[in-house]
PDB file of all heavy atoms in Angstrom:
ATOM      1  N   ARG H  65      -4.647  -5.768   3.963  1.00  0.00           N
ATOM      2  CA  ARG H  65      -3.910  -5.022   5.000  1.00  0.00           C
ATOM      3  C   ARG H  65      -2.508  -5.596   5.175  1.00  0.00           C
ATOM      4  O   ARG H  65      -1.513  -4.870   5.159  1.00  0.00           O
ATOM      5  CB  ARG H  65      -4.661  -5.047   6.328  1.00  0.00           C
ATOM      6  CG  ARG H  65      -5.913  -4.213   6.314  1.00  0.00           C
ATOM      7  CD  ARG H  65      -6.753  -4.412   7.570  1.00  0.00           C
ATOM      8  NE  ARG H  65      -7.930  -3.584   7.521  1.00  0.00           N
ATOM      9  CZ  ARG H  65      -8.048  -2.422   8.154  1.00  0.00           C
ATOM     10  NH1 ARG H  65      -7.073  -1.972   8.895  1.00  0.00           N
ATOM     11  NH2 ARG H  65      -9.158  -1.714   8.042  1.00  0.00           N
ATOM     12  N   ARG H  66      -2.450  -6.896   5.335  1.00  0.00           N
ATOM     13  CA  ARG H  66      -1.149  -7.566   5.464  1.00  0.00           C
ATOM     14  C   ARG H  66      -0.304  -7.378   4.216  1.00  0.00           C
ATOM     15  O   ARG H  66       0.903  -7.150   4.287  1.00  0.00           O
ATOM     16  CB  ARG H  66      -1.381  -9.065   5.662  1.00  0.00           C
ATOM     17  CG  ARG H  66      -1.116  -9.551   7.011  1.00  0.00           C
ATOM     18  CD  ARG H  66      -1.502 -10.995   7.047  1.00  0.00           C
ATOM     19  NE  ARG H  66      -0.375 -11.769   7.469  1.00  0.00           N
ATOM     20  CZ  ARG H  66      -0.419 -13.048   7.690  1.00  0.00           C
ATOM     21  NH1 ARG H  66      -1.512 -13.719   7.481  1.00  0.00           N
ATOM     22  NH2 ARG H  66       0.631 -13.677   8.110  1.00  0.00           N
ATOM     23  N   TRP H  67      -0.957  -7.517   3.086  1.00  0.00           N
ATOM     24  CA  TRP H  67      -0.292  -7.406   1.797  1.00  0.00           C
ATOM     25  C   TRP H  67       0.349  -6.028   1.636  1.00  0.00           C
ATOM     26  O   TRP H  67       1.492  -5.916   1.178  1.00  0.00           O
ATOM     27  CB  TRP H  67      -1.324  -7.668   0.697  1.00  0.00           C
ATOM     28  CG  TRP H  67      -0.789  -7.797  -0.674  1.00  0.00           C
ATOM     29  CD1 TRP H  67      -0.388  -8.934  -1.307  1.00  0.00           C
ATOM     30  CD2 TRP H  67      -0.617  -6.750  -1.629  1.00  0.00           C
ATOM     31  NE1 TRP H  67       0.020  -8.652  -2.591  1.00  0.00           N
ATOM     32  CE2 TRP H  67      -0.110  -7.313  -2.803  1.00  0.00           C
ATOM     33  CE3 TRP H  67      -0.853  -5.381  -1.599  1.00  0.00           C
ATOM     34  CZ2 TRP H  67       0.172  -6.561  -3.941  1.00  0.00           C
ATOM     35  CZ3 TRP H  67      -0.567  -4.633  -2.721  1.00  0.00           C
ATOM     36  CH2 TRP H  67      -0.063  -5.221  -3.878  1.00  0.00           C
ATOM     37  N   LEU H  68      -0.375  -4.972   2.029  1.00  0.00           N
ATOM     38  CA  LEU H  68       0.163  -3.616   1.906  1.00  0.00           C
ATOM     39  C   LEU H  68       1.422  -3.430   2.745  1.00  0.00           C
ATOM     40  O   LEU H  68       2.408  -2.851   2.274  1.00  0.00           O
ATOM     41  CB  LEU H  68      -0.896  -2.585   2.311  1.00  0.00           C
ATOM     42  CG  LEU H  68      -1.956  -2.298   1.265  1.00  0.00           C
ATOM     43  CD1 LEU H  68      -3.148  -1.577   1.900  1.00  0.00           C
ATOM     44  CD2 LEU H  68      -1.391  -1.485   0.117  1.00  0.00           C
ATOM     45  N   TYR H  69       1.407  -3.927   3.976  1.00  0.00           N
ATOM     46  CA  TYR H  69       2.603  -3.798   4.817  1.00  0.00           C
ATOM     47  C   TYR H  69       3.778  -4.557   4.214  1.00  0.00           C
ATOM     48  O   TYR H  69       4.917  -4.088   4.237  1.00  0.00           O
ATOM     49  CB  TYR H  69       2.326  -4.282   6.247  1.00  0.00           C
ATOM     50  CG  TYR H  69       1.702  -3.211   7.109  1.00  0.00           C
ATOM     51  CD1 TYR H  69       0.322  -3.126   7.250  1.00  0.00           C
ATOM     52  CD2 TYR H  69       2.489  -2.276   7.765  1.00  0.00           C
ATOM     53  CE1 TYR H  69      -0.256  -2.134   8.030  1.00  0.00           C
ATOM     54  CE2 TYR H  69       1.927  -1.288   8.547  1.00  0.00           C
ATOM     55  CZ  TYR H  69       0.561  -1.221   8.668  1.00  0.00           C
ATOM     56  OH  TYR H  69      -0.005  -0.228   9.440  1.00  0.00           O
ATOM     57  N   ARG H  70       3.528  -5.728   3.663  1.00  0.00           N
ATOM     58  CA  ARG H  70       4.593  -6.508   3.046  1.00  0.00           C
ATOM     59  C   ARG H  70       5.156  -5.791   1.817  1.00  0.00           C
ATOM     60  O   ARG H  70       6.370  -5.742   1.619  1.00  0.00           O
ATOM     61  CB  ARG H  70       4.060  -7.899   2.668  1.00  0.00           C
ATOM     62  CG  ARG H  70       5.024  -8.783   1.893  1.00  0.00           C
ATOM     63  CD  ARG H  70       6.402  -8.958   2.495  1.00  0.00           C
ATOM     64  NE  ARG H  70       6.406  -9.367   3.859  1.00  0.00           N
ATOM     65  CZ  ARG H  70       7.492  -9.338   4.635  1.00  0.00           C
ATOM     66  NH1 ARG H  70       8.659  -8.940   4.181  1.00  0.00           N
ATOM     67  NH2 ARG H  70       7.424  -9.714   5.889  1.00  0.00           N
ATOM     68  N   ILE H  71       4.266  -5.209   1.022  1.00  0.00           N
ATOM     69  CA  ILE H  71       4.721  -4.490  -0.172  1.00  0.00           C
ATOM     70  C   ILE H  71       5.551  -3.271   0.221  1.00  0.00           C
ATOM     71  O   ILE H  71       6.607  -3.018  -0.375  1.00  0.00           O
ATOM     72  CB  ILE H  71       3.522  -4.083  -1.067  1.00  0.00           C
ATOM     73  CG1 ILE H  71       2.862  -5.321  -1.660  1.00  0.00           C
ATOM     74  CG2 ILE H  71       3.942  -3.114  -2.162  1.00  0.00           C
ATOM     75  CD1 ILE H  71       3.767  -6.163  -2.547  1.00  0.00           C
ATOM     76  N   VAL H  72       5.109  -2.515   1.211  1.00  0.00           N
ATOM     77  CA  VAL H  72       5.884  -1.351   1.664  1.00  0.00           C
ATOM     78  C   VAL H  72       7.255  -1.809   2.155  1.00  0.00           C
ATOM     79  O   VAL H  72       8.282  -1.202   1.826  1.00  0.00           O
ATOM     80  CB  VAL H  72       5.117  -0.563   2.756  1.00  0.00           C
ATOM     81  CG1 VAL H  72       6.032   0.435   3.451  1.00  0.00           C
ATOM     82  CG2 VAL H  72       3.916   0.142   2.146  1.00  0.00           C
ATOM     83  N   HIS H  73       7.291  -2.887   2.911  1.00  0.00           N
ATOM     84  CA  HIS H  73       8.568  -3.427   3.391  1.00  0.00           C
ATOM     85  C   HIS H  73       9.475  -3.808   2.223  1.00  0.00           C
ATOM     86  O   HIS H  73      10.657  -3.456   2.192  1.00  0.00           O
ATOM     87  CB  HIS H  73       8.303  -4.651   4.283  1.00  0.00           C
ATOM     88  CG  HIS H  73       9.542  -5.304   4.757  1.00  0.00           C
ATOM     89  ND1 HIS H  73      10.199  -4.917   5.897  1.00  0.00           N
ATOM     90  CD2 HIS H  73      10.269  -6.314   4.227  1.00  0.00           C
ATOM     91  CE1 HIS H  73      11.278  -5.658   6.046  1.00  0.00           C
ATOM     92  NE2 HIS H  73      11.337  -6.522   5.058  1.00  0.00           N
ATOM     93  N   ASN H  74       8.916  -4.532   1.257  1.00  0.00           N
ATOM     94  CA  ASN H  74       9.710  -4.960   0.095  1.00  0.00           C
ATOM     95  C   ASN H  74      10.189  -3.772  -0.731  1.00  0.00           C
ATOM     96  O   ASN H  74      11.341  -3.762  -1.188  1.00  0.00           O
ATOM     97  CB  ASN H  74       8.899  -5.915  -0.778  1.00  0.00           C
ATOM     98  CG  ASN H  74       8.670  -7.254  -0.119  1.00  0.00           C
ATOM     99  OD1 ASN H  74       9.289  -7.583   0.893  1.00  0.00           O
ATOM    100  ND2 ASN H  74       7.752  -8.027  -0.664  1.00  0.00           N
ATOM    101  N   LEU H  75       9.337  -2.789  -0.934  1.00  0.00           N
ATOM    102  CA  LEU H  75       9.732  -1.604  -1.696  1.00  0.00           C
ATOM    103  C   LEU H  75      10.856  -0.852  -0.988  1.00  0.00           C
ATOM    104  O   LEU H  75      11.806  -0.393  -1.641  1.00  0.00           O
ATOM    105  CB  LEU H  75       8.528  -0.688  -1.925  1.00  0.00           C
ATOM    106  CG  LEU H  75       7.459  -1.194  -2.882  1.00  0.00           C
ATOM    107  CD1 LEU H  75       6.217  -0.303  -2.809  1.00  0.00           C
ATOM    108  CD2 LEU H  75       7.978  -1.249  -4.309  1.00  0.00           C
ATOM    109  N   ALA H  76      10.765  -0.735   0.333  1.00  0.00           N
ATOM    110  CA  ALA H  76      11.826  -0.063   1.090  1.00  0.00           C
ATOM    111  C   ALA H  76      13.132  -0.842   0.991  1.00  0.00           C
ATOM    112  O   ALA H  76      14.207  -0.250   0.818  1.00  0.00           O
ATOM    113  CB  ALA H  76      11.405   0.093   2.553  1.00  0.00           C
TER     114      ALA H  76
END
Side-chain angles (χ1 to χ4, degrees):
R65 289 172 179 260
R66 252 175 124 175
W67 189 91
L68 282 164
Y69 276 94
R70 174 52 52 193
I71 293 299
V72 167
H73 177 87
N74 290 348
L75 290 170

